[in-house]
């Protein structure tokens, strides 16, 4: 079963939930798809080894063949090519690798050029208990997170439980992360700001038709606006993690709180079982 942990914005405790939930299961995989800033391993502290590069194809202009006809730049809806009267420029960071410019060029003046945009790493500690960790890491200066996320997800073992830490926000990288998951836990804080971002995240889950429920982090620290919204919208509140100085201290020390507060392992396991019973298939926990 594939369970994504998402939130409308960063800083709500999404990674904490992903790490603690995966540590509460047996033989789970944890996939860190927050590829601009993968943080799961700050808590797991595993040795990681690179297992593959992520590459993408961008256009390379053979300017000696170019007649500056502008067909390529007119075609590119991402403004990744600009044609001047005697000069042509490409902006690889804007390119979505659709290949259209190559197809429309009448002079054969554009060729494919492969560049590395990120890497995938895997935990090497085989004898250790806890989840098998994979993380994607987008190269500095690169903007196309989705191909890196897509590659991380290729390592999902369909016979096991995969916990997927999504990037913050509601843009393309989140859509790529949530595509094909069985269930999405939306993590929020009980504040008006949390509610605002939660509503956007709920919209994404609804558009993608993914069953979802809410986990309220730092419960007791704000107001009841999130719970009222969930009641009005018929969205299940799956769990509340209280505002608790012990949890906050462990977080600040980079320690998953289930490791010192064993009772939470059982709570996360029960959360998983309740989701799996309703939305899962037949994998082991
Ligand atoms: S491959 Fe597509 S997105 Fe990239 S420059 Fe060409 S037309 Fe634009
Ligand atoms: S379509 Fe080809 S020939 Fe025309 S401007 Fe682009 S690269 Fe040059």
């Amino acid at each position: 079963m594939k369970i994504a942990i998402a939130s409308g914005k960063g800083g709500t405790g999404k990674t904490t939930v992903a790490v603690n939930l995966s540590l509460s299961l047996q033989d789970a995989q944890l996939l860190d798809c927050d590829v601009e800033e993968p943080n799961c391993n700050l808590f797991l502290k595993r040795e990681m080894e690179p297992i593959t590069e992520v590459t993408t194809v961008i256009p390379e202009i053979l300017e000696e063949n170019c007649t500056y006809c502008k067909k390529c730049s007119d075609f590119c809806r991402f403004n990744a090519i600009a044609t001047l009267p005697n000069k042509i420029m490409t902006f690889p960071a804007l390119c979505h690798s659709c290949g259209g410019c190559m197809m429309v060029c009448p002079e054969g003046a554009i060729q494919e050029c492969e560049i590395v945009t990120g890497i995938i790493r895997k935990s090497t500690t085989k004898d250790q208990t806890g989840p098998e960790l994979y993380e994607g890491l987008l190269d500095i200066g690169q903007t196309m997170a989705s191909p890196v996320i897509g590659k991380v997800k290729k390592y999902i073992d369909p016979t096991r439980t995969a916990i997927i830490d999504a990037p913050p926000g509601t843009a393309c990288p989140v859509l790529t992360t949530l595509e094909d998951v069985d269930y999405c836990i939306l993590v929020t804080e009980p504040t008006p700001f949390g509610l605002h971002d939660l509503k956007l995240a709920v919209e994404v889950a609804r558009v993608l038709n993914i069953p979802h429920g809410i986990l309220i982090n730092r419960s007791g620290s704000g107001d009841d606006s999130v719970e009222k919204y969930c009641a009005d919208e018929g969205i299940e509140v799956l769990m509340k993690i209280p505002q608790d100085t012990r949890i906050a201290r462990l977080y600040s020390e980079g320690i998953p709180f289930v490791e010192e507060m064993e009772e939470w392992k059982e709570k996360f396991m029960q959360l998983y079982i309740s989701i799996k019973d309703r939305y899962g298939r037949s994998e082991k926990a």
Side-chain angles (χ1 to χ4, degrees):
M1 174 172 203
K2 292 177 271 187
I3 300 177
I5 317 296
S7 65
K9 69 178 183 73
T12 55
K14 181 177 60 58
T15 297
T16 306
V17 172
V19 169
N20 284 288
L21 174 60
S22 63
L23 281 167
S24 304
L25 309 179
Q26 286 168 11
D27 197 32
Q29 291 183 302
L30 175 60
L31 299 111
D32 195 338
C33 288
D34 189 357
V35 300
E36 288 189 47
E37 205 174 357
N39 275 341
C40 290
N41 202 35
L42 293 181
F43 297 94
L44 293 177
K45 302 177 182 67
R46 300 282 177 79
E47 294 289 325
M48 303 292 286
E49 67 173 354
I51 49 173
T52 188
E53 287 179 336
V54 183
T55 59
T56 191
V57 172
I58 59 166
E60 183 178 42
I61 311 285
L62 306 169
E63 202 155 343
E64 62 274 20
N65 296 349
C66 177
T67 58
Y68 309 106
C69 71
K70 288 191 172 181
K71 286 192 172 139
C72 55
S73 44
D74 287 347
F75 177 88
C76 183
R77 66 189 179 96
F78 301 106
N79 299 318
I81 306 183
T83 315
L84 305 174
N86 292 304
K87 179 97 192 134
I88 183 161
M89 291 184 288
T90 59
F91 303 94
L94 302 178
C95 176
H96 283 55
S97 302
C98 72
C101 52
M102 281 170 253
M103 293 170 73
V104 300
C105 176
E107 308 296 337
I110 307 180
Q111 66 180 17
E112 289 185 352
C113 170
E114 192 171 74
I115 58 164
V116 174
T117 57
I119 57 166
I120 311 297
R121 301 197 299 192
K122 181 190 176 194
S123 53
T124 55
T125 36
K126 290 189 178 60
D127 54 343
Q128 204 164 343
T129 55
E132 178 182 60
L133 174 66
Y134 289 87
E135 67 177 17
L137 194 58
L138 188 67
D139 275 5
I140 291 168
Q142 295 295 335
T143 54
M144 298 297 288
S146 288
V148 182
I149 292 168
K151 193 103 177 198
V152 180
K153 289 178 70 182
K154 289 230 171 352
Y155 290 93
I156 291 176
D157 178 347
T159 67
R160 296 166 68 182
T161 297
I163 306 300
I164 304 167
D165 190 14
T170 51
C172 273
V174 177
L175 302 185
T176 305
T177 306
L178 297 190
E179 195 183 1
D180 296 332
V181 303
D182 301 302
Y183 192 85
C184 181
I185 298 175
L186 296 170
V187 181
T188 188
E189 290 174 339
T191 63
F193 286 131
L195 178 59
H196 173 267
D197 295 306
L198 173 65
K199 286 179 178 172
L200 299 175
V202 166
E203 279 311 305
V204 171
R206 283 178 173 161
V207 166
L208 295 175
N209 203 21
I210 297 169
H212 53 280
I214 309 297
L215 188 153
I216 301 177
N217 192 26
R218 301 187 193 103
S219 176
S221 64
D223 58 25
D224 61 356
S225 55
V226 166
E227 288 192 64
K228 275 189 178 151
Y229 165 75
C230 291
D232 291 346
E233 295 288 324
I235 304 170
E236 182 180 12
V237 177
L238 301 160
M239 179 186 263
K240 296 179 195 175
I241 300 175
Q243 173 85 335
D244 180 301
T245 49
R246 199 166 161 209
I247 291 175
R249 179 182 58 76
L250 290 168
Y251 176 85
S252 69
E253 291 170 3
I255 299 169
F257 66 86
V258 294
E259 289 190 345
E260 298 213 359
M261 300 165 81
E262 281 280 323
E263 70 276 17
W264 278 94
K265 269 194 179 163
E266 181 60 28
K267 292 181 190 182
F268 277 112
M269 177 57 107
Q270 289 305 324
L271 169 67
Y272 169 74
I273 290 170
S274 116
I275 293 171
K276 183 174 178 237
D277 283 350
R278 289 175 291 160
Y279 304 100
R281 300 170 198 158
S282 57
E283 303 87 351
K284 57 190 169 177

